[in-house]
Amino acid sequence: MSAVGSLRELALDRGHVAAIARREVKTVTRNRGTLVLFVGFSLLLLGFTWAGGGHASGYVPTVVDLLTPVELLVPVLAFAIGYRVFVSDRERGELAVHATLPPSRSSIVLGTFFGRGVILALGVAVAALPALVFVVLSGNGTSPIYAAQRGADSPLLFARFVAVATLLGLAALAGALAVSAVARSAKSAVGLALGLWAVLAVGADVGSLAALQRGVLSVGSLPTAVAFGPGGAYRGLVFATVLDVATVEATAAITPAVGVLSLVGWTVAGLVVAAYALW
Amino acid sequence: MTDNPVVTASNVACVYGPVSALAGVSASIHPGSVTAVVGPNGGGKSTFLRTLAGVATPTSGTVAYPVTEGTHAVGYLPQSFRPREDLTVGETVRYYDSLVGDGPTPEELLDRVGLTHVADRRVGALSGGMLRLLGVAVAGVGDPDLVVLDEPTSGLDRTMTRRVFESCATLADEDCGVVVATHDLPTIESVADRALLLDRGRLQADRALPIEGTAFATAYDDAVDGETTVRSGRRTRDPAHDTGGEPV
């Protein structure tokens, strides 16, 4: 490919990105499977909220109950929404048609990410509403002030939790798009998606602990190292922006900036891989 | 028809591992013409069309489009084009049109292939023939100088086949160079100006249509008849046919 050709492949056109994003929104919203996914996710959140028991004590205890389930479920949701997009477009000949049209690979990937990302963000927010309502109804409208007076429990903290979960979901969606661009069949996309999910979910934690055991990392730097993985970044962000309010002293292991940078970094990395591997 | 070609393939070769899909194929496509690419399965038609469309990069040789910067050069219909089923026909054409911007309106594109009456129908509810016509409409977005259609009539009945080929003629009437891969030489003869016979990755014949004499027809029959042989219930390529063979 010539230098001019390479630059063309990187160029972003807002009109193209918007058109592609609109098509993704239409495609996803007209698929009944999407509705089933989000309803299932919502019911699971509600179930974990009820089973955890924290709902009677307020929003922050509920976030503690949902911390791990959401870390597992939101990436699954994102993968389900994104892992087949480009594989299917390739099988249907649509990628080949796009290759002859003006939009660059970057525009196609970004438009797809924005379109599906909007649906994911809205879906996660709406799916979390029943759990939120359940907490409101269970707490009899009380708003406890924690002993240390570091802050009051509030629905805003729950909203922050949902926002952090959405950031995790967007990072996973970018990974799913990368998988979809790299895979050459739906079957291999499933395998790659499962492998990547396992790496993202536990790989960074296990790697950091192994490094600690071998003396490569100090105990003090462990939280930051764990935050290099998307799961660790998500947990760190939830502690720093939601759970910190319920502690006597500031205990957040990482600063919000580190967590956000990690998740944004994973998102950008996924999109770059997808754009590179698209055709 | 002008003398300046919309695409010129020079000595194009495509090699995938041990397989030589194309070997030294040269051809020029002129505006306002319909060129049929015929030959047996596995003869190199799709690979040749993919290189003309710019979707595949030749291992050696060049494919040149003498167009000014910024114009939309190529419209392409792959062999298996199935747009997203949950969108309507109109939405699909409008989407592709929005990526290019210039040229005929989505309504004109649908009218050109006779799909205006199903504009609000879901793509998933279209027949195979209508799906191929939708592909021809999409290939025409942006008024490209060259339209490359890979077996647009595969699996279609005679009526639908004629409709697709008439759409090709309409595109050519609008000064577009059209390249069509097909197995249906007798039907495309009525709209095509020229036929290229590809077999074993080589250009075996290049003739103006209608063809006078029997050389092309004989070469075509030889190529297609020798394509397969039935062995133990499985269709396999005849190894005896894979060697030798000079251009007609």
Side-chain angles (χ1 to χ4, degrees):
Chain A
M1 191 186 290
S2 68
V4 173
S6 301
L7 285 175
R8 180 196 163 273
E9 291 305 319
L10 290 173
L12 279 173
D13 180 295
R14 271 189 298 180
H16 293 155
V17 171
I20 292 161
R22 277 195 297 273
R23 181 173 83 137
E24 295 302 328
V25 169
K26 281 181 190 168
T27 304
V28 176
T29 51
R30 290 178 193 179
N31 187 332
R32 284 181 194 165
T34 309
L35 185 65
V36 171
L37 266 178
F38 282 113
V39 168
F41 175 63
S42 186
L43 288 175
L44 281 171
L45 282 189
L46 197 57
F48 282 116
T49 302
W50 171 77
H55 57 91
S57 305
Y59 303 102
V60 168
T62 303
V63 168
V64 173
D65 290 340
L66 295 181
L67 184 65
T68 302
V70 163
E71 185 184 345
L72 297 174
L73 291 174
V74 167
V76 171
L77 205 59
F79 272 114
I81 287 177
Y83 85 98
R84 280 194 66 159
V85 187
F86 297 133
V87 172
S88 297
D89 278 354
R90 187 177 289 116
E91 286 173 348
R92 287 195 302 259
E94 290 211 85
L95 272 190
V97 172
H98 278 86
T100 65
L101 297 175
S104 63
R105 287 181 292 178
S106 307
S107 294
I108 293 169
V109 168
L110 206 58
T112 305
F113 175 74
F114 281 157
R116 301 214 168 216
V118 164
I119 298 299
L120 178 69
L122 286 175
V124 167
V126 172
L129 278 179
L132 180 67
V133 170
F134 188 49
V135 177
V136 172
L137 296 177
S138 304
N140 299 318
T142 58
S143 183
I145 307 288
Y146 289 102
Q149 301 294 310
R150 284 177 55 76
D153 195 11
S154 117
L156 181 64
L157 296 175
F158 193 83
R160 280 188 196 166
F161 170 63
V162 172
V164 173
T166 302
L167 275 181
L168 174 68
L170 292 176
L173 177 63
L177 294 183
V179 162
S180 189
V182 169
R184 287 297 178 264
S185 71
K187 199 182 278 185
S188 64
V190 172
L192 277 172
L194 286 173
L196 187 63
W197 183 71
V199 168
L200 295 184
V202 296
D205 291 1
V206 171
S208 298
L209 288 173
L212 179 69
Q213 195 179 25
R214 289 176 187 167
V216 179
L217 280 179
S218 66
V219 174
S221 59
L222 182 65
T224 306
V226 169
F228 276 115
Y234 153 80
R235 265 173 273 132
L237 266 176
V238 172
F239 273 93
T241 60
V242 181
L243 303 183
D244 198 42
V245 76
T247 57
V248 177
E249 292 176 1
T251 57
I254 60 165
T255 62
V258 170
V260 169
L261 270 178
S262 172
L263 289 177
V264 169
W266 280 101
T267 304
V268 172
L271 296 178
V272 168
V273 170
Y276 180 78
L278 197 58
W279 62 67
Chain B
M1 195 190 300
T2 65
D3 285 338
N4 298 326
V6 289
V7 64
T8 303
S10 305
N11 211 20
V12 168
C14 285
V15 179
Y16 302 110
V19 179
S20 175
L22 277 184
V25 176
S26 297
S28 295
I29 308 299
H30 292 267
S33 70
V34 176
T35 302
V37 179
V38 296
N41 290 328
K45 299 191 298 294
S46 287
T47 307
F48 180 55
L49 264 60
R50 284 168 60 82
T51 58
L52 284 185
V55 174
T57 307
T59 313
S60 63
T62 58
V63 177
Y65 313 92
V67 293
T68 51
E69 190 69 27
T71 60
H72 176 47
V74 185
Y76 176 52
L77 171 65
Q79 206 168 351
S80 56
F81 180 65
R82 288 178 293 112
R84 295 189 179 178
E85 295 186 347
D86 291 322
L87 303 186
T88 67
V89 170
E91 284 172 338
T92 302
V93 176
R94 277 196 294 278
Y95 164 71
Y96 280 104
D97 181 65
S98 72
L99 299 180
V100 180
D102 298 325
T105 64
E107 290 73 26
E108 287 168 341
L109 289 164
L110 287 176
D111 184 52
R112 191 189 271 173
V113 296
L115 287 184
T116 306
H117 64 293
V118 292
D120 294 328
R121 193 180 294 180
R122 277 178 65 250
V123 169
L126 291 183
S127 68
M130 286 180 170
L131 213 48
R132 300 307 282 165
L133 286 169
L134 174 58
V136 175
V138 167
V141 297
D143 220 2
D145 300 307
L146 170 70
V147 168
V148 176
L149 308 172
D150 195 351
E151 299 199 17
T153 60
S154 159
L156 303 188
D157 61 30
R158 284 250 165 248
T159 310
M160 212 43 113
T161 297
R162 283 204 190 90
R163 257 177 88 177
V164 170
F165 287 157
E166 280 162 13
S167 299
C168 297
T170 307
L171 284 166
D173 288 344
E174 292 170 11
D175 225 22
C176 179
V178 182
V179 182
V180 188
T182 181
H183 288 283
D184 193 351
L185 184 61
T187 310
I188 198 153
E189 254 191 317
S190 61
V191 296
D193 306 284
R194 181 180 167 208
L196 307 178
L197 172 61
L198 277 174
D199 185 26
R200 286 155 284 167
R202 291 183 179 280
L203 184 60
Q204 305 286 4
D206 179 352
R207 293 286 184 273
L209 292 175
I211 295 163
E212 291 175 11
T214 57
F216 189 94
T218 305
Y220 177 76
D221 288 343
D222 285 350
V224 174
D225 290 345
E227 177 193 353
T228 56
T229 181
V230 178
R231 266 192 217 139
S232 308
R234 291 181 61 198
R235 289 169 71 80
T236 53
R237 192 169 173 83
D238 183 354
H241 196 76
D242 281 342
T243 55
E246 290 295 314
V248 176

